[in-house]
Amino acid sequence: MVELKNLENGFSYLEVSNSSSSAKIALQGAHVFEYKRGEEEDILWLSETSAFELGTAIRGGIPVCWPAFGMNNPDLPQHGFSRTALFEFVNSKEISKDETQVCLRLRDTQESLKLWNYKFELELIVRVSDTLSLELKTTNRDTQEFKLTQALHTYFNVSDISNAVVKGLKGKPRLDALRGIVFIQENDIKFDEEFDSVFQKVNNEIILGYKDRKVSIINEGSSSVVVWNPWIEKGARMSGMRAEAYREFVCIESANAYEDFRVLKPNESHSLKATIH
Ligand code: BG6
């Protein structure tokens, strides 16, 4: 079942539920901000102090960073403009009693063309079951080609970051954005300081382990993965979260970033997919 709900301030979201799972997806940003399987705690982290209002990106869940990841395009806001753009709810489908699909769409507008002068169609297709899958499909509707960098910027709930370990990135080239160096990652990742790196040439499953729980992340249409935690100082400066909240999440972002950018010619499409289980 899919229901459109509205907060008093006009902020709208879709509430998706079936017999295996449930999710909430804001129309602003096509932002999945809750995903639960049965009685389990949420796999996604959501800041309890996040704003839910038009014009401000939600802190937590799965922000869609598009058409530029980070500050890849200095003419655009950090992570592009889709996080605060209002998507249209296209349709939903009950695939089975355990699985629901929802499609949201964004097209260029007069405002988007002022920021980024290309015509486009962007769709997010979300499948909610005991697995959460997202397909972010970009189509170039312009007469010129454009460059795309992007991410499904997933915040995973780890309760306490000292219990978290990220596996599957050992042996991959790592661009450490904090030190500005590239080297080969030698170990599985644990966290005891600020972490902000792009792993390249990743075409395998990534496992996030914490306590006795394991989350699997499989990406398609992507060979770059961003791992991020702001730690103490940056965490205290971040908008939409408590200073200590950095301990509760790690971001593992399914991306097309840095060398893994895409160039789309007119009428070409590209899909970035993340499957989380
Ligand atoms: C990550 C970047 O992807 O997003 C970080 O690697 C950045 O450098 C983080 O701080 C959060 O960005 P924002 O715009 O949501 O505060």
Side-chain angles (χ1 to χ4, degrees), residues 59 69 78-79 83 153 155 196 226 228 234 238 253:
R59 177 69 63 198
F69 173 77
Q78 154 126 316
H79 293 325
R83 288 192 292 182
H153 189 306
Y155 285 76
D196 195 349
V226 182
W228 175 66
K234 188 168 177 180
M238 304 281 308
E253 308 170 32

Side-chain angles (χ1 to χ4, degrees), residues 236-251:
R237 294 197 303 272
M238 304 281 308
S239 60
M241 60 179 249
R242 287 175 292 109
E244 318 74 50
Y246 77 94
R247 293 203 72 82
E248 300 164 8
F249 68 83
V250 59
C251 288

Side-chain angles (χ1 to χ4, degrees), residues 9 13 16 21 35 44 82 97 102 114 173 200-201 236 238 273 275:
N9 64 3
Y13 64 94
V16 182
S21 51
Y35 168 58
L44 305 177
S82 65
K97 69 174 184 22
V102 170
K114 278 185 215 148
Q200 297 164 75
K201 302 194 167 106
M238 304 281 308
K273 294 187 194 168
T275 303

Side-chain angles (χ1 to χ4, degrees), residues 209-242:
Y210 62 101
K211 294 191 193 152
D212 52 357
R213 240 176 130 173
K214 274 191 187 140
V215 180
S216 151
I217 303 142
I218 295 176
N219 300 326
E220 293 167 69
S222 147
S223 63
S224 48
V225 170
V226 182
V227 178
W228 175 66
N229 182 283
W231 214 250
I232 300 169
E233 278 176 31
K234 188 168 177 180
R237 294 197 303 272
M238 304 281 308
S239 60
M241 60 179 249
R242 287 175 292 109

